[in-house]
């Protein structure tokens, strides 16, 4: 009986310590990548605002593992993922990504033009619940999303710069 009591108390104390450490991890994580494109913003915006163009450059949606892909002007859908364009803002294209499990992730593109170069930033804002395993798991989000975001932005840059 003492051994069971010790194991139970140890488990509760260990969980409390892990939970306390997880409270230091923020409840929202932003994964962001940016790229300089040698093109005016007005030539870039149609590629961002019309989701039918995403098939040409966006590696996160143009993935052979996705089945039942459908691109429209303001949405993308597959069995595993849905992306919807949100209300337009002057300097931001906002999207909402809905995963198969129902989790929604806000995303967007912002840009700033100066001297013939446009800086395009792509970000994902991931909201986390209080679960310690979800908070600790968020540490690897940057490693999971970052490389495909970089490759996609580079493909967008090459596509736009070759069209000039």
């Amino acid at each position: 009986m003492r051994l069971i009591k010790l194991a139970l108390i140890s488990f509760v104390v260990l969980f409390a310590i892990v939970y306390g450490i997880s409270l230091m991890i923020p409840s929202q994580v932003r994964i962001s990548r940016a790229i300089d494109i040698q093109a005016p913003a007005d030539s870039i915006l149609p590629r961002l605002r019309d989701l039918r163009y995403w098939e040409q450059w966006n590696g996160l949606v143009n993935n052979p593992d996705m089945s039942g892909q459908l691109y429209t002007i303001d949405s993308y859908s597959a069995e595993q993922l849905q992306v919807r364009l949100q209300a337009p803002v002057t300097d931001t294209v906002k999207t909402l990504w809905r995963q198969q499990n129902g989790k929604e992730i806000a995303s967007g593109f912002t840009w700033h033009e100066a001297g013939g170069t446009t800086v395009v930033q792509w970000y994902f804002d991931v909201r986390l619940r209080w679960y310690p395993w979800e908070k600790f798991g968020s540490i690897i989000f940057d490693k999971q999303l970052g490389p495909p975001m970089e490759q996609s932005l580079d493909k967008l840059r090459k596509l736009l710069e070759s069209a000039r």
Side-chain angles (χ1 to χ4, degrees):
M1 186 65 175
R2 289 175 106 179
L3 192 59
I4 293 173
K5 193 185 237 183
L6 177 64
L8 185 61
I9 291 171
S10 298
F11 176 76
V12 169
V13 169
L14 182 62
F15 182 79
I17 291 170
V18 169
Y19 178 69
I21 292 171
S22 76
L23 290 175
M24 292 185 246
I25 299 173
S27 297
Q28 181 172 329
V29 177
R30 177 170 275 198
I31 296 102
S32 173
R33 295 295 187 270
I35 194 165
D36 293 344
I37 300 176
Q38 301 297 321
D42 59 348
S43 69
I44 298 170
L45 297 182
R47 305 281 181 176
L48 300 177
R49 288 186 174 147
D50 188 343
L51 274 60
R52 293 176 296 183
Y53 286 114
W54 284 21
E55 186 174 11
Q56 299 172 358
W57 63 270
N58 193 328
L60 290 175
V61 295
N62 188 17
N63 186 334
D65 295 336
M66 301 280 196
S67 54
Q69 295 183 4
L70 176 65
Y71 294 88
T72 65
I73 291 174
D74 61 354
S75 70
Y76 162 83
S77 63
E79 289 182 20
Q80 301 87 345
L81 176 69
Q82 295 174 348
V83 181
R84 286 180 308 171
L85 197 62
Q86 300 294 296
V89 182
T90 55
D91 64 345
T92 305
V93 172
K94 292 186 178 188
T95 58
L96 185 64
W97 296 57
R98 184 182 189 95
Q99 297 173 333
Q100 188 175 17
N101 63 6
K103 184 170 183 170
E104 292 184 343
I105 301 172
S107 177
F109 298 91
T110 61
W111 56 88
H112 176 71
E113 186 176 8
T117 300
T118 305
V119 178
V120 177
Q121 179 191 24
W122 185 10
Y123 65 87
F124 282 94
D125 287 333
V126 183
R127 293 194 182 274
L128 306 169
R129 293 176 291 205
W130 64 270
Y131 308 137
W133 54 88
E134 193 168 300
K135 294 247 187 136
F136 285 112
S138 72
I139 295 170
I140 61 169
F141 285 168
D142 189 66
K143 298 290 183 205
Q144 289 176 328
L145 285 173
M149 289 171 71
E150 290 171 11
Q151 292 167 354
S152 297
L153 287 172
D154 190 51
K155 202 170 183 181
L156 176 65
R157 180 184 58 79
K158 289 176 182 173
L159 182 73
L160 290 164
E161 288 180 355
S162 67
R164 284 190 67 163

